[in-house]
Amino acid sequence: MAISDKSSRQSLIPSFLYSSSSGRTLALEKILHAASSSSSPAVSNAETVLPRKSFVIAAPSEPSKKIELYSPAYYAACTAGGILSCGLTHMAVTPLDLVKCNMQIDPLKYKSISSGFGVLLKEQGLRGFFKGWVPTLLGYSAQGACKFGFYEFFKKYYSDIAGPEYAAKYKTLIYLAGSASAEFIADVALCPFEAVKVRVQTQPGFARGLSDGLPKFVKSEGTLGLYKGIVPLWGRQIPYTMMKFASFETIVEMIYKYGVPTPKDQCSKSLQLGISFAGGYVAGVLCAIVSHPADNLVSFLNNAKGATVGDAVKKMGLVGLFTRGLPLRIVMIGTLTGAQWGIYDAFKVFVGLPTTGGVAPAAPATELAKV
């Protein structure tokens, strides 16, 4: 993912998303230094004796060595942040996911959220709430690595192709294209784990987890059977991720533009992370609504051997396809997405990178002239 050309690496989109005052600070110091040197010879002579001190004091919280944007280290950090944000959060909501999948597969038995938890507790005990947590952790860690790492790469790549002016003008299209490309790759990594997870969670007695569930699944369905649900998974995850990233970037931009009285680079890190969580939660609710029909299809196809999309539509009905399990998924995905953006940006801050999103740049002079 390294950008070999130095000028390409410095071409900016999303430069307005990762704006920094460091360039302005260096320019200010040079101006002050020049002014002081020309205005007073005494001061100039004194500077030859006494060491000159910097006009701006570095913030103690900033690391001494920062990661260069769009460098291999930058993409590696984004990949690591994606692993943490997706793997840990999906594992944490395993009980909700378990009830949601069973409500989709057997609505007569799992009639509601509360009754679903009651049935699981009665039949499987407390341990049953975390059935399938291993394939969930591993699968969504792999997915998160590809999703966030490749999103940052494709966002920069498509922006360089478009050029600074068009990238700023059509930034939402850049977000949509970058997230769709990243999720296409991420789902290839996720699909085998998702297939085993659904089978373990929805078929009592099939397997305890990944270690015994994967061989049984391959023996029953074949190796290619692990990818039987890849098309519905793309159908669920690609619109979900496009909504997740584009709406998040837009919401965060609007918060900084209209809801926060100070520029982003003057806000505290805690405030920036709070905005990341809030933007992520709202984006998650929108994601859940957009991707829910495909989520029902994924659960149905991975639960029944030889099942088809037509079988799912016939059994669930069109209304059921859009609504079955939706309230629980809204709660789950809203919380999940908010936590993911919070963790992801917290990790970026930890390694010395700026948080994601920001205020849109001012319109170029040529655009203003047209107006």
Side-chain angles (χ1 to χ4, degrees), residues 170-254:
Y170 300 107
K171 59 184 180 297
T172 301
L173 294 179
I174 298 290
Y175 302 148
L176 292 171
S179 57
S181 301
E183 189 60 40
F184 184 89
I185 299 171
D187 288 343
V188 176
L190 170 64
C191 194
F193 297 97
E194 182 75 359
V196 176
K197 176 189 78 73
V198 171
R199 188 67 62 88
V200 168
Q201 290 180 337
T202 59
Q203 286 192 7
F206 172 75
R208 297 186 305 274
L210 181 65
S211 60
D212 59 335
L214 180 60
K216 285 185 178 181
F217 193 103
V218 171
K219 185 178 180 180
S220 172
E221 304 277 351
T223 303
L224 293 179
L226 292 170
Y227 285 92
K228 181 176 65 174
I230 186 64
V231 174
L233 190 62
W234 279 329
R236 180 188 79 183
Q237 290 296 132
I238 290 178
Y240 166 90
T241 301
M242 292 172 71
M243 179 65 75
K244 173 180 179 176
F245 283 87
S247 61
F248 171 81
E249 299 263 16
T250 302
I251 292 166
V252 168
E253 177 183 318
M254 292 177 66

Side-chain angles (χ1 to χ4, degrees), residues 74 91 103 126 129 148 159 243 255 311 368:
Y74 170 78
M91 184 186 68
M103 287 176 66
L126 290 176
F129 287 120
F148 282 91
S159 298
M243 179 65 75
I255 292 175
D311 295 333
L368 293 176

Side-chain angles (χ1 to χ4, degrees), residues 297-310:
L297 290 178
V298 170
S299 297
F300 187 89
L301 293 176
N302 285 323
N303 177 68
K305 182 178 181 180
T308 64
V309 173

Side-chain angles (χ1 to χ4, degrees), residues 19-21 24 256 260-272:
S19 62
S20 172
S21 61
R24 295 191 299 271
Y256 281 116
V260 179
T262 56
K264 177 185 175 181
D265 56 3
Q266 297 179 23
C267 296
S268 65
K269 294 301 182 183
S270 59
L271 176 58
Q272 292 184 37

Side-chain angles (χ1 to χ4, degrees), residues 78-92 140-141 143-145 147-148 244-245 335-347:
C78 294
T79 299
I83 292 173
L84 293 174
S85 66
C86 289
L88 295 178
T89 52
H90 275 277
M91 184 186 68
Y140 282 95
S141 292
Q143 184 216 35
K147 176 185 294 189
F148 282 91
K244 173 180 179 176
F245 283 87
T335 306
L336 191 76
T337 308
Q340 283 179 357
W341 279 113
I343 293 173
Y344 179 67
D345 275 350
F347 183 81

